[in-house]
Amino acid sequence: MRSLLYPSARNLRAAVCVALFLAGTLPSAAGAQTTNYQGADLRGAHFQKARLAKADLQNADLRGVDLRGADLRGANLQNANLQGANLQGAILSGANLQHSNAQDAIFTDANLQGANLESGLFYGANLYGVNLQDADLRGANLQGANLLRTNLRGANLLGANLQGVKRSIPVVLAFATPRPGPTQAPATPAPATPAPAMPAPATHTMSAETILGALAPATPAPATIRLNASRVEFYYDRFLVEADGNVRVRTSDGLVATGDTFSMDLKLNRFLLAGHVHVSDAAGSQDGAAIADFLDFSRIYLVPLTRESQNATGIPDRWTFADGDFAHPLKGREMPGDTFYFPDLGQAKPYLVGTSAVIGSKSFVRFGGGRFDAAEGAGVYIPVPTYYINFSADQHLGDNSLAGANYDATWEFAGNAHSISALHFRYDTINKSYLSFEQHLSGPKAYAVFSVNPMTRPSKFWDLLLSDRPSDKTQVRTFTQLHTFQYGLSSPLESQQVTTLQLTQALHGSYLQGNYQFENFSLLPLGCYPMTPGNTSDHCTVPFHPSNAQISLQTFDRPLTPYFHGARVYEHLSFGFGFQHEAFISEANPAAALQTLGGVPYTTIWQHTLGLEVFMPDLKFGPDLNVPTKYYAINASFQKQRQWNSLPHYIDTTQSRISLSKTLDSHWLSYLDYNVQNVADIYGPLQSTIYPPFTPVVNGVTYPGYEAFHGIATFRTLSFGLNYSNGGNFTFNLLARKHTDFPAPIPFFFQFATPDVLGNFNVQYFLGQPPYDVTAEVRMRINPHMSIDIQRSYFFNYSNLRWSPHFVFQVMQ
Amino acid sequence: MNVALRVIPAALLGLTILASSLFPVSAQTGTIAVTAQLLDYQNGYVFLTTGDGFRVLPAVAIVDYKSGKLAGPPAPRQYARLTFDQTGTVLKIELSKAKLPPEGDLDAIRRRFAVALSTPVPNPDLGPTRVTSPCANVRPGKSVSLNVTVQVPPSTPLTDTVYMTTDQSGWNAQAYRMDRRDALHYRVQLKLLSGTVLHLLFDRGSMQSVQLGENGIEQDPYTICIGDEDAQTFTKTVYHWADQQAGASLPIPQTFPTPYNPAPFPNLPTPQPRPT
């Protein structure tokens, strides 16, 4: 009952306050020192121009209250609710707004110098023109707040959320302010411009923008430029956006400019607008011949037609605006020589033509209402409603989760600085042509990728990749793949899943890694799911659910020897400990055990490994070790690893490798490589039991040599490689190999290793490979962004196999 | 006095000769011509891409450079041959969409005739000590051959292909296929324009197999500025690949679903010797 009455009592108190205020007895500044509104419900009160200095408003409910022009110097507003309150022009210097809720409040032109806003909620608040000098904004949420013209000098923004804030131009734009000038302006010679050079970043003044850029812990939105014109063109090979006719440019700083011609170099992050330029913002405007904005350096260069004289046509001048200070143009200051240069486009054809673009500084460009050149250079334009191109240095936006394909044309139809949505038009020899979808999200420390591939085939792979880097020395990554066999989004006939989790911790001189992986060979209830009624062989579940985990440690590469002929020997060690487990074992499914030995089914096998790698890159010998064509290089490596298992056996893996290479001239190089791999599965006294003597008979032919195989295989490969490269425009590779393996290959006895769609063999240790093969590869660049790769192998009539079944044909973009 | 009488005319003569060599003055009309690219044309001024404005005669002749016929108003991007009178006023503008052969001394014209209200002030930004950008002093636009060589870890599978991925290609993991140079090295050659700032990483065909740092944490992209020399080399070492676990020994599914097989040989023939 008391709790129900309590708010009413507060309301009553507020009403008394309002009455006192209206009666002119509101506490004076002196009296305010003792004013106590702690926890009061003051909603609906009017404190316009009230003197509330040092008032105690802790936990007060001030939602929607009118505090315009109020004097709240040193007031205690800790935990106060100021949601939607109007504090325009209020004086809050030294006030305590810690943990206060000022969501959507209006602080326009208020003075909060030295105020404590720590952990306050200022979501969507209007802080236009507010003085926040030396204020404490640690951990404050300023998402979507208006910080235009806000003075943040000396403010502590550590941990503040500045996502989506309207960025600050610290002082008033004063283009239009008329100033006294000579009645007849002298024709002063223009300054001689020095050789083209980029100005250095300003370091002498710390603007609010700089503070935002430096401290924003989340992902601050990049400066954006919205461009509209009669024709907007994009030149992919040079990352140029060019626009002509009725150009209108609007920047996220609130600058609006119109003109005849626009040019922006996305990589240099600077733009130029020329021809009847009119620049304006809320505070004023200026006409001129051209304006150039060097975004990286906070420098804007303007060629104005000044109105400082009575001359109706104006006089040309040169103004530089530094750090967004539009009120104080640096008149006559020399400018970089290429400030107003247009790029020479020659006869180049644009990759994309449209009428509008949104450019995210150093990150992306999104075109609207355009058409792009599908043949890249041939001028075959396909209309698209929108087209997005990412050119940021954030590699995670390119992190793919799609399997390889022979051809992939990507339409990135939506995106911004931190996300891309893309449709892939793909072709591979297994799935033929199909569509896939991929979504990327990326921030400074974490990223995520989701994809469906192929989207238009029944056998679909749903991938989700997540990564987070909580510190520079720690990283967590997970990958989950769900496979479904389903038509459209109908009930699946098959469903499998695999998930991996990886945690990496960097240490001094080594790193520790934990890996966990589990697979579900079927997510459906046990049984068969026929495509056609009565066909019980279709899509039956497989009752396997294996998992494994491992903790491993690997040391950094450490030199073992001093330099000798430009080379030294390095080593690193690795150690791992883990297990493999298969839980789904029953009488009905005895084969599900990982392995059965001596009649004992093993559902869990513990393992530990120890590995050593020693290698020596580039031991050179020849008459001149500084000229690549005048020396030979030897590269060598040796790897040895032993894996002990709780099921009593161990696996030794040894690889020795040496190569001799020679650069013949600036185009040609060749190498000779010899590689020996040895894999031994050792069971000790049980060796002959596990790997019993066995004589294969294939097509009526007996192969007694196989009798010698007891679980120890050796693969020897001698390779000769020849490579020609003409500056990347044309590449030719020839690889001839001789394999001497034990056990020797027997046609039709071993399975063939199946290459992926790109012609790569994923299995390293492979029994039964053809003894000879030659692979030729030709790669041609057909334009600056596309090349074609064609390769094929010849197997010298091994079991009637001459040529590889088909060409590997890949278009690379 | 006699000396002064001799020196002053000689100096004047010298200056005249020097001026005539600087400005190609038409013998008949006393005009000066220069070719340049236009930035704007408005309010009685023509502006060049140097940022300078020049007074234009109200009755200026605007013609096509090739045909000599009357042409429309000058526009940004266009090239022009400007004819000045001795006072620095533009008498004639000949327009062209194509770049024109250099003519006249543009710097001298600018110093002599460009109109600007304010007195020139040095720019401290342009001082050599303030330049920090890696590409700050590069002459942009020249085709440069970039030779990239990477040393891979010895554990790199023999049959794998190594690629280079860059921001230039939207981080397409298969944009630049590298060629094997020897047991531990791959190389790629490409042509880029000087002034390009390139961010790059190495991978084995997808970003799941991208390189990691020596400490096992993801590698931040390398940054290269393409200089204006004819050829540039870039050499790096890959310590680990993201898809290779540290001290890896456990079977990793290469395809999905993967038949589980703790034995080292996934393709032993049938009938497979089974342990009993």
Side-chain angles (χ1 to χ4, degrees):
Chain A
M1 191 67 179
R2 183 186 170 110
S3 62
L4 285 172
L5 286 173
Y6 193 54
S8 299
R10 288 186 171 188
N11 279 331
L12 183 65
R13 192 169 176 179
V16 171
C17 291
V18 174
L20 288 173
F21 167 71
L22 291 173
T25 57
L26 199 78
S28 65
Q33 290 180 23
T34 55
T35 305
N36 185 355
Y37 294 119
Q38 195 173 342
D41 185 345
L42 299 166
R43 282 176 294 173
H46 293 273
F47 287 120
Q48 199 176 342
K49 294 186 178 174
R51 288 183 239 168
L52 293 162
K54 296 189 178 176
D56 189 353
L57 290 153
Q58 196 174 342
N59 295 313
D61 190 343
L62 290 155
R63 277 178 287 175
V65 168
D66 185 352
L67 284 155
R68 280 178 294 171
D71 184 352
L72 286 152
R73 261 177 281 206
N76 182 4
L77 287 149
Q78 196 173 358
N79 293 314
N81 192 343
L82 287 156
Q83 197 171 343
N86 190 344
L87 292 117
Q88 188 178 351
I91 304 166
L92 288 139
S93 50
N96 180 5
L97 285 100
Q98 204 177 5
H99 299 290
S100 62
N101 177 0
Q103 194 173 336
D104 298 318
I106 301 163
F107 286 88
T108 316
D109 296 320
N111 184 356
L112 284 111
Q113 189 170 354
N116 182 357
L117 288 83
E118 188 187 345
S119 304
L121 178 61
F122 294 88
Y123 185 91
N126 188 349
L127 295 158
Y128 184 91
V130 168
N131 180 8
L132 281 163
Q133 192 169 344
D134 301 319
D136 186 350
L137 285 150
R138 282 177 298 166
N141 186 343
L142 290 152
Q143 257 184 298
N146 182 353
L147 291 175
L148 287 170
R149 297 184 62 237
T150 304
N151 179 5
L152 286 158
R153 283 172 212 275
N156 189 344
L157 285 153
L158 197 66
N161 186 345
L162 298 160
Q163 208 163 13
V165 296
K166 292 179 182 170
R167 296 172 70 183
S168 176
I169 297 173
V171 283
V172 175
L173 183 66
F175 283 135
T177 311
R179 292 179 193 170
T183 51
Q184 191 167 1
T188 312
T193 324
M198 296 285 285
T203 53
H204 55 285
T205 309
M206 192 71 166
S207 71
E209 282 189 37
T210 316
I211 296 166
L212 293 179
L215 295 182
T219 51
T224 52
I225 298 150
R226 293 177 185 278
L227 170 69
N228 290 83
S230 304
R231 183 180 172 91
V232 177
E233 296 177 341
F234 177 61
Y235 294 83
Y236 212 148
D237 54 337
R238 295 175 64 183
F239 286 89
L240 296 172
V241 177
E242 305 293 319
D244 290 289
N246 302 312
V247 179
R248 180 184 162 84
V249 177
R250 185 158 55 92
T251 71
S252 51
D253 288 344
L255 197 74
V256 178
T258 57
D260 297 335
T261 296
F262 174 91
S263 175
M264 180 163 188
D265 188 316
L266 299 176
K267 291 285 185 177
L268 293 178
N269 203 27
R270 52 189 257 197
F271 71 79
L272 163 65
L273 178 65
H276 301 91
V277 167
H278 180 79
V279 190
S280 64
D281 86 341
S285 65
Q286 175 65 51
D287 292 328
I291 184 169
D293 193 341
F294 285 35
L295 296 163
D296 280 352
F297 302 96
S298 293
R299 295 288 186 273
I300 293 176
Y301 304 101
L302 180 71
V303 177
L305 279 166
T306 67
R307 297 173 190 165
E308 298 190 9
S309 71
Q310 299 305 312
N311 188 333
T313 59
I315 301 290
D317 204 358
R318 283 171 177 265
W319 291 356
T320 298
F321 299 98
D323 304 325
D325 185 354
F326 288 100
H328 304 98
L330 304 164
K331 295 183 179 180
R333 199 185 234 210
E334 289 177 355
M335 296 176 179
D338 60 348
T339 302
F340 301 107
Y341 279 13
F342 289 107
D344 184 5
L345 299 170
Q347 300 298 315
K349 285 182 179 169
Y351 174 75
L352 189 142
V353 180
T355 54
S356 67
V358 178
I359 301 163
S361 167
K362 297 174 93 167
S363 55
F364 73 95
V365 55
R366 190 173 59 238
F367 296 94
R371 53 192 199 276
F372 77 99
D373 186 356
E376 294 212 38
V380 182
Y381 288 97
I382 294 175
V384 280
T386 175
Y387 199 97
Y388 168 94
I389 292 163
N390 168 49
F391 58 93
S392 76
D394 180 357
Q395 78 273 26
H396 301 309
L397 286 172
D399 205 333
N400 57 22
S401 60
L402 306 178
N406 298 85
Y407 179 79
D408 184 323
T410 307
W411 175 34
E412 294 177 336
F413 60 91
N416 57 33
H418 306 295
S419 76
I420 303 175
S421 306
L423 268 180
H424 294 256
F425 303 88
R426 316 188 97 209
Y427 175 86
D428 67 54
T429 51
I430 298 163
N431 292 299
K432 306 304 177 189
S433 56
Y434 55 92
L435 278 177
S436 301
F437 169 77
E438 198 170 29
Q439 176 67 48
H440 302 261
L441 296 165
S442 180
K445 297 284 184 188
Y447 65 92
V449 186
F450 167 76
S451 68
V452 190
N453 175 52
M455 198 166 64
T456 51
R457 289 278 177 268
S459 185
K460 298 178 177 64
F461 292 89
W462 309 72
D463 290 356
L464 177 64
L465 199 148
L466 301 168
S467 173
D468 187 22
R469 204 163 61 163
S471 79
D472 288 344
K473 293 189 171 182
T474 311
Q475 185 169 17
V476 186
R477 288 157 53 97
T478 75
F479 172 69
T480 295
Q481 186 176 71
L482 174 71
H483 172 245
T484 59
F485 190 95
Q486 60 185 144
Y487 291 93
L489 291 174
S490 63
S491 182
L493 305 174
E494 272 184 36
S495 181
Q496 296 97 9
Q497 160 263 326
V498 60
T499 296
T500 61
L501 174 66
Q502 185 180 76
L503 172 67
T504 307
Q505 178 64 48
L507 304 171
H508 182 69
S510 63
Y511 69 94
L512 195 66
Q513 196 171 70
N515 286 282
Y516 178 64
Q517 175 180 303
F518 66 95
E519 295 173 61
N520 285 309
F521 273 50
S522 179
L523 294 170
L524 301 176
L526 287 175
C528 290
Y529 298 84
M531 272 196 300
T532 50
N535 187 354
T536 54
S537 62
D538 278 352
H539 303 287
C540 294
T541 56
V542 182
F544 284 117
H545 303 274
S547 61
N548 64 64
Q550 187 183 39
I551 294 173
S552 51
L553 182 84
Q554 180 159 329
T555 61
F556 290 178
D557 294 345
R558 286 177 300 191
L560 284 175
T561 64
Y563 279 105
F564 176 74
H565 280 253
R568 66 199 304 186
V569 178
Y570 297 86
E571 61 81 20
H572 67 245
L573 294 167
S574 60
F575 172 75
F577 176 75
F579 70 85
Q580 310 202 39
H581 180 66
E582 166 54 63
F584 199 87
I585 179 166
S586 64
E587 288 182 7
N589 186 31
L594 295 176
Q595 198 169 347
T596 303
L597 187 65
V600 179
Y602 285 81
T603 56
T604 302
I605 297 175
W606 291 89
Q607 299 167 321
H608 61 278
T609 60
L610 185 63
L612 166 72
E613 273 189 15
V614 180
F615 61 98
M616 181 196 62
D618 271 345
L619 176 73
K620 300 170 187 173
F621 61 93
D624 188 343
L625 302 187
N626 296 312
V627 181
T629 53
K630 292 189 175 177
Y631 64 79
Y632 290 86
I634 291 177
N635 284 264
S637 67
F638 172 79
Q639 296 170 265
K640 175 87 180 177
Q641 182 180 276
R642 176 167 291 186
Q643 174 182 306
W644 291 270
N645 300 275
S646 58
L647 184 149
H649 75 128
Y650 62 85
I651 299 166
D652 274 355
T653 309
T654 311
Q655 178 170 313
S656 309
R657 193 154 188 210
I658 188 163
S659 73
L660 177 71
S661 58
K662 175 90 166 73
T663 301
L664 303 173
D665 61 21
S666 59
H667 301 298
W668 290 94
L669 64 83
S670 64
Y671 65 87
L672 206 58
D673 181 284
Y674 188 61
N675 180 69
V676 182
Q677 290 175 340
N678 188 281
V679 184
D681 189 11
I682 307 297
Y683 281 81
L686 293 174
Q687 193 72 20
S688 298
T689 310
I690 303 299
Y691 291 98
F694 175 57
T695 305
V697 180
V698 181
N699 293 333
V701 180
T702 304
Y703 293 90
Y706 191 83
E707 290 267 349
F709 176 65
H710 294 290
I712 300 168
T714 305
F715 309 82
R716 298 178 185 87
T717 303
L718 178 66
S719 310
F720 170 73
L722 189 65
N723 168 247
Y724 172 85
S725 181
N726 183 10
N729 295 324
F730 179 84
T731 305
F732 168 75
N733 279 309
L734 184 75
L735 175 65
R737 296 189 299 181
K738 178 181 185 296
H739 305 287
T740 311
D741 296 343
F742 175 79
I746 301 171
F748 308 112
F749 179 58
F750 297 101
Q751 300 168 29
F752 272 113
T754 311
D756 64 14
V757 293
L758 303 180
N760 294 326
F761 289 94
N762 289 318
V763 182
Q764 275 205 72
Y765 309 122
F766 180 71
L767 293 169
Q769 57 191 330
Y772 298 96
D773 63 57
V774 173
T775 302
E777 179 201 8
V778 172
R779 194 163 60 249
M780 288 169 288
R781 189 157 286 279
I782 53 176
N783 65 38
H785 281 270
M786 195 181 274
S787 58
I788 293 177
D789 190 308
I790 304 166
Q791 62 171 290
R792 201 169 191 190
S793 300
Y794 186 73
F795 295 106
F796 295 91
N797 207 22
Y798 174 71
S799 75
N800 296 325
L801 185 64
R802 291 179 179 168
W803 293 99
S804 54
H806 45 73
F807 282 103
V808 172
F809 183 86
Q810 191 185 9
V811 178
M812 294 185 287
Q813 203 171 1
Chain B
M1 186 66 180
N2 281 342
V3 173
L5 283 172
R6 284 179 189 174
V7 168
I8 290 170
L12 287 172
L13 181 64
L15 282 173
T16 309
I17 293 166
L18 183 65
S20 63
S21 68
L22 284 174
F23 306 114
V25 179
S26 163
Q28 291 177 344
T29 60
T31 57
I32 305 158
V34 68
T35 53
Q37 192 174 21
L38 299 183
L39 193 62
D40 195 14
Y41 174 75
Q42 63 162 310
N43 289 18
Y45 292 96
V46 62
F47 295 87
L48 305 184
T49 51
T50 54
D52 301 297
F54 301 91
R55 282 207 176 85
V56 175
L57 192 71
V60 63
I62 302 172
V63 297
D64 183 77
Y65 177 78
K66 278 186 181 171
S67 66
K69 293 177 182 173
L70 288 178
R77 286 188 205 280
Q78 283 183 316
Y79 296 91
R81 180 175 186 271
L82 305 177
T83 306
F84 294 83
D85 66 13
Q86 287 296 326
T87 66
T89 303
V90 178
L91 305 174
K92 189 178 181 184
I93 303 174
E94 296 163 85
L95 299 173
S96 168
K97 287 187 177 175
K99 199 171 184 176
L100 297 175
E103 183 181 344
D105 188 338
L106 185 56
D107 276 344
I109 292 277
R110 292 174 56 215
R111 283 195 296 273
R112 190 172 171 195
F113 297 139
V115 179
L117 187 64
S118 304
T119 309
V121 178
N123 184 351
D125 288 344
L126 301 176
T129 56
R130 301 289 302 276
V131 175
T132 56
S133 165
C135 268
N137 295 314
V138 171
R139 187 163 53 90
K142 182 183 169 186
S143 181
V144 176
S145 177
L146 176 68
N147 297 292
V148 181
T149 302
V150 63
Q151 180 186 314
V152 299
S155 59
T156 305
L158 291 172
T159 51
D160 275 16
T161 308
V162 174
Y163 298 85
M164 185 174 79
T165 177
T166 74
D167 59 341
Q168 201 82 354
S169 55
W171 295 109
N172 177 357
Q174 294 177 6
Y176 298 102
R177 186 174 180 143
M178 304 188 78
D179 304 307
R180 182 180 285 281
R181 203 191 78 181
D182 54 47
L184 291 173
H185 295 88
Y186 286 77
R187 76 158 187 181
V188 68
Q189 288 184 333
L190 54 155
K191 287 244 167 70
L192 291 166
L193 295 174
S194 59
T196 304
V197 177
L198 193 68
H199 298 91
L200 63 91
L201 285 169
F202 301 98
D203 64 84
R204 290 188 2 267
S206 80
M207 293 303 264
Q208 277 72 65
S209 59
V210 75
Q211 69 175 108
L212 298 177
E214 189 175 19
N215 62 2
I217 307 291
E218 70 180 15
Q219 170 77 48
D220 288 332
Y222 304 115
T223 303
I224 328 176
C225 169
I226 307 303
D228 47 16
E229 58 268 43
D230 291 338
Q232 194 169 336
T233 57
F234 182 75
T235 304
K236 280 289 163 191
T237 298
V238 172
Y239 294 99
H240 315 285
W241 300 113
D243 62 339
Q244 291 186 333
Q245 298 171 10
S249 61
L250 303 176
I252 305 165
Q254 305 287 351
T255 55
F256 184 82
T258 306
Y260 182 75
N261 186 358
F265 305 110
N267 64 333
L268 280 174
T270 305
Q272 184 177 338
R274 295 293 298 176
T276 54

